[in-house]
Amino acid sequence: MTPGNNGASTPEEDDPFGYLYADGQANGATPPSGGGGYGYPGSVNRVRAVGERKYGQQTAPTAPYGQVPQQGGYGQPNAHYGAPETVPGGAQTARTPMPGHGGGGGRGRGPNTKGLLIGAIAVVAAVVIGIAIAMTGGGDDDKGDDQADATPTASQSAAPTQEETKGADKPKELPKADAKVLNLGDGVTTASDIQGAKAEGGVYVTGFNHVGASIVWSVSGIEKAGKYTLNVNYGVPGKDANATLTVNGTSQDRPLNLKNFAKAAEGDAAKGWTNTWANIMLNKGTNTIQISCADGNQCDVNFDQLSLESGWKLS
């Protein structure tokens, strides 16, 4: 602004709503386009004295300042108010319900059921989430408890006692040997020309077919005295044989049976490999087992392997 242009000369000229006031109208305030406005012809408003409202021909005086007008009974019209439709000759009006509120039939605005429903759903969701967390064992304390339960106890992780493992120990494997490593008597030797021997390299003991021939096995590591079975792998050239069995210097009552169990043709030594057994008694510690060709034995036989089993077999 400049000293020559200070805007409107009065507040009413500068106030865009000056037309609403009587002094503003006197000073030329312009009402909005379209006519009407407070204090102008065409306006839907009417100037009324404070404390009065006119409907038709009646004037409803108001109560003096600071006093509350007397109200009628519940459901009765107020004596100080008369709706236009209740005044003789007054215009009939129709109520139009506010859009978006309440139901049909001219009902007023009801409770905010949508908001209540949303709140109820939120509460239910919170309760469900809390229950789910409780059921899954949430929280650091619960996690620690679970880990503690999964950790083996001292009794579970401790080594088994001697009593617990006593029955679980596997029986110690008893000795076995290829015949070629035994002590060989006079005239007894090794060979490998006949196929089918199970000993290492297919090597077997031969030259046994004469009186005085023998093989001796010195067995050590026997933990318990008692009954044992001697297993013998051998081969015959399609005919039966036998030999004398001696254990710890004592000859057995029955000769060692070296029959042609393979049913090989006579002279077919390669097809004559088979096995036999004998029940014997052994001492704890070291024992001597001897197989020999004595008078009366049929000794045309080759020896492959010897082994021991605990207990006796049925004859």
Side-chain angles (χ1 to χ4, degrees):
M1 293 183 183
T2 62
N5 183 15
N6 292 325
S9 59
T10 64
E12 290 79 346
E13 295 175 353
D14 190 52
D15 187 357
F17 299 98
Y19 69 90
L20 297 174
Y21 313 104
D23 53 356
Q25 299 168 20
N27 286 280
T30 305
S33 61
Y38 188 83
Y40 283 82
S43 173
V44 297
N45 299 308
R46 296 292 184 270
V47 178
R48 299 180 181 88
V50 176
E52 290 186 349
R53 294 186 67 182
K54 295 182 179 181
Y55 297 92
Q57 301 301 320
Q58 292 184 355
T59 300
T62 60
Y65 180 79
Q67 297 184 12
V68 179
Q70 183 179 359
Q71 301 293 325
Y74 181 81
Q76 299 297 323
N78 194 317
H80 300 282
Y81 172 78
E85 61 270 24
T86 63
V87 179
Q92 295 293 327
T93 60
R95 294 184 180 179
T96 302
M98 294 296 291
H101 297 283
R107 295 181 181 176
R109 180 177 178 181
N112 189 353
T113 57
K114 183 176 182 180
L116 294 175
L117 178 60
I118 293 174
I121 292 174
V123 171
V124 172
V127 173
V128 171
I129 292 173
I131 294 173
I133 293 174
M135 292 181 66
T136 55
D140 294 337
D141 294 341
D142 292 341
K143 182 177 181 181
D145 293 342
D146 292 340
Q147 292 176 346
D149 292 341
T151 303
T153 62
S155 62
Q156 291 173 330
S157 59
T161 64
Q162 183 176 1
E163 292 297 327
E164 293 172 336
T165 58
K166 183 176 180 180
D169 289 341
K170 293 182 179 180
K172 185 177 179 181
E173 186 176 359
L174 294 173
K176 59 183 177 180
D178 290 345
K180 64 182 180 180
V181 302
L182 305 179
N183 294 324
L184 305 181
D186 293 341
V188 180
T189 186
T190 60
S192 59
D193 52 323
I194 300 174
Q195 301 297 312
K198 294 180 180 180
E200 183 180 1
V203 178
Y204 54 90
V205 173
T206 190
F208 193 79
N209 192 17
H210 64 277
V211 175
S214 65
I215 56 174
V216 179
W217 185 18
S218 180
V219 183
S220 61
I222 301 301
E223 296 182 348
K224 182 178 179 181
K227 298 178 179 179
Y228 291 86
T229 299
L230 173 66
N231 295 311
V232 179
N233 288 346
Y234 68 98
V236 291
K239 57 183 180 180
D240 296 337
N242 57 61
T244 300
L245 177 61
T246 303
V247 179
N248 294 325
T250 302
S251 297
Q252 303 297 299
D253 295 337
R254 298 171 58 182
L256 181 62
N257 187 1
L258 301 172
K259 191 174 181 179
N260 181 21
F261 294 113
K263 306 295 182 180
E266 187 173 352
D268 191 353
K271 298 292 185 181
W273 293 106
T274 184
N275 60 80
T276 190
W277 54 270
N279 292 328
I280 60 175
M281 296 290 296
L282 295 179
N283 301 324
K284 182 179 179 180
T286 301
N287 295 263
T288 300
I289 300 173
Q290 175 179 295
I291 301 174
S292 60
C293 183
D295 291 336
N297 293 138
Q298 305 293 324
C299 301
D300 193 2
V301 58
N302 299 317
F303 293 99
D304 185 9
Q305 293 176 320
L306 280 68
S307 63
L308 289 173
E309 290 183 20
S310 178
W312 281 1
K313 294 181 180 180
L314 295 177
S315 300

